[in-house]
Amino acid sequence: MKLIKKLIFAVVTAFIIMLSGCSKTEKIPENYIEIEGLVFSERVELIYAEQFAIDRYENGYSVIHTMNGESFLLVPEGEKTPDGLSERITVIEKPTKNIYLTATSAMGLFAELEQGGAVKFSGTKADDWYIDYARQAMENGTMLYAGKYREPDYEMLLENECMLSIQSTMIDHSPEVKDKLNELGIPVFVDYSSYETHPLGRSEWIKVYGEMTDTSELARQLFSAQAEQLDSISEQSTGKTAAFFYISTSGQAVTRKSGDYVTKMIELAGGENVFENLGDDKATSSVTMEMEQFYSQAKNADFIIYNSTIGGEITTVEQLIAKNELLADFKAVQNGNVWCTKENLFQETMKLGTVISDFNSIFTGDTENEPPVFLFRLEDGEKDD
């Protein structure tokens, strides 16, 4: 599936370049698209993100290109849509509002921009939100549940004048839904932040939503603050090893692929993932292991970090060991270096610089001076007794 997407992206990119009169082919074309009546101004500078590009034109117009070869023209309020647009360019009229959002990773970006009000419809129920704004908005009725990505409430969206749907890559499994939304006049924008190779590439997608909501300068400032956190961390390895995992209901250990962005955050923080060359080319980012295999590879890890976002939040070492008694023999358990993620970790896309800083603070033993925001140490219940 990924290979097919890349081939499609390459073909569409070549088409876009042809429109601009350039024969050079690149993943994101360096040359802008010529649009009748618009004057090109600048391309937004990106530091880590590779899966989108933003071109700006005079009078407030801009075009967002995404990795699947689609381009979206943002038309400012009070301005006209240019004539003669290519069929490959989708128009999004501003102000961008009444959005149907199924890409949970984008909600934190809207909230950070103080533009959560632009999202009217959610593909996630209130109990499944760990972002305060989203949960509260659904509880007070300012954000409505409009069904999962594969089963949207079309009638609700139409009655409430939905202007845009922001989808995760899961929509690729339900192309008929995307076609239906477009047929109803609701443009579909796919968030490809999960394809970014660098963790902060995901955070840099805030520039996309800043462009949509006319908060581009705030988006730049917020992203810069996260990038500065990474810059402040020494590139030297701490020599500490870590295992990031949870225990499934069937009793198996589930960890992340070696090339996954979580393992990259651990490495950027100066740590080393205990698992090497783990995973395959499948789309999933996780790997399931029998406990005996997990034990043999992770028992001597300096730190173990329990993924509560899926495994369920726990507070004591005893609760962890209750999931599997083999964990009692782990070096990290015996040394008190057992940590747990907070449940909002994966929905806070904007805070990945902070997450890397959290990892670094536990690897360096500097948690008193730099208390982690998204991690907490599991307590030893026996000592409390």
Side-chain angles (χ1 to χ4, degrees), residues 244-246 256 305-312 340-341 345-346:
F244 186 95
F245 72 105
Y246 73 91
R256 312 287 290 199
I305 304 168
Y306 192 74
N307 179 9
S308 72
T309 58
I310 301 177
C340 186
T341 66
L345 177 66
F346 291 119

Side-chain angles (χ1 to χ4, degrees), residues 347-366:
Q347 290 185 2
E348 293 284 4
T349 308
M350 190 57 235
K351 302 294 183 64
L352 296 186
T354 303
V355 176
I356 296 171
S357 180
D358 285 353
F359 283 138
N360 180 257
S361 69
I362 70 172
F363 295 153
T364 59
D366 195 32

Side-chain angles (χ1 to χ4, degrees), residues 27-42:
K27 191 170 187 180
I28 295 289
E30 288 189 357
N31 287 55
Y32 66 94
I33 299 176
E34 286 191 24
I35 299 177
E36 183 179 347
L38 299 188
V39 178
F40 178 79
S41 175
E42 64 177 345

